[in-house]
Amino acid sequence: VLYAGNDGGIFRSPDRGDSWRSLNKGLAIAEFEYLAQHPRWQSWIIGGTQDNGTLRHRRDGTWDRVASGDGGDCAVNTSSPKTCYHSYNGMAIARSRSSGSYWRDITPPVPDYYQVLFYPPLEANGSTVACAGESVLVSDDEGTTWNEVPLRDGGLATAMTFASDA
């Protein structure tokens, strides 16, 4: 029997690491890195947590895990709030059109050597979604296709926002 403890909790393997079971029921640990809120429902929040995936808050106070792994930046399409986004580490991004119940990978096509923070910035405004590393990748069709915009000084993006709805 093996036990593994980390910042995601404690886990037990009865078979030398072939399978693992969480022992975290009732253990309230999470390190939120990012949050995004539904524009009309105050109690609906989605957040990326280190090592504990992406969590969604419901009106009854429950936090549901809607994606595993390292939960990164999150965003909500304000004009169609059932459409939301979350990122993993690097440029891995997923889109949900069901308020976070089902996800589809929409990772932009970047080369293996692309420079990016562990959790890159991610923003959404209507059907436009953008993420950034050594350049800004922008999609005006909810992540189906991407256009790359170089950064002026060749730096690395650490934060971004839409200046206006336009």
Side-chain angles (χ1 to χ4, degrees):
V1 175
L2 298 174
Y3 291 88
N6 55 51
D7 55 357
I10 186 165
F11 304 85
R12 180 181 187 274
S13 172
D15 51 14
R16 298 181 179 185
D18 286 338
S19 64
W20 291 91
R21 187 175 61 102
S22 169
L23 302 177
N24 298 315
K25 185 174 181 170
L27 184 61
I29 58 168
E31 182 179 343
F32 279 92
E33 301 284 345
Y34 299 92
L35 292 172
Q37 186 175 25
H38 190 285
R40 292 187 287 276
W41 304 333
Q42 287 184 351
S43 62
W44 190 96
I45 301 169
I46 191 169
T49 66
Q50 180 181 335
D51 295 334
N52 290 303
T54 300
L55 308 179
R56 179 183 57 205
H57 184 265
R58 296 185 302 179
R59 185 181 347 188
D60 67 2
T62 302
W63 287 92
D64 296 320
R65 181 181 300 183
V66 295
S68 298
D70 276 299
D73 207 347
C74 304
V76 177
N77 178 336
T78 54
S79 61
S80 179
K82 287 190 174 192
T83 300
C84 56
Y85 305 87
H86 81 95
S87 63
Y88 300 95
N89 61 309
M91 293 302 282
I93 301 171
R95 176 189 65 220
S96 173
R97 290 189 172 135
S98 58
S99 299
S101 296
Y102 303 99
W103 297 94
R104 178 177 180 200
D105 179 50
I106 59 164
T107 300
V110 294
D112 291 338
Y113 56 84
Y114 186 84
Q115 297 294 306
V116 62
L117 295 177
F118 188 79
Y119 295 124
L122 169 71
E123 292 293 328
N125 187 3
S127 61
T128 303
V129 61
C131 56
E134 65 184 56
S135 60
V136 179
L137 293 134
V138 181
S139 171
D140 61 4
D141 56 10
E142 297 183 332
T144 301
T145 60
W146 295 91
N147 295 306
E148 186 172 13
V149 180
L151 294 176
R152 286 188 199 174
D153 299 324
L156 191 64
T158 59
M160 67 178 176
T161 189
F162 285 97
S164 71
D165 286 347

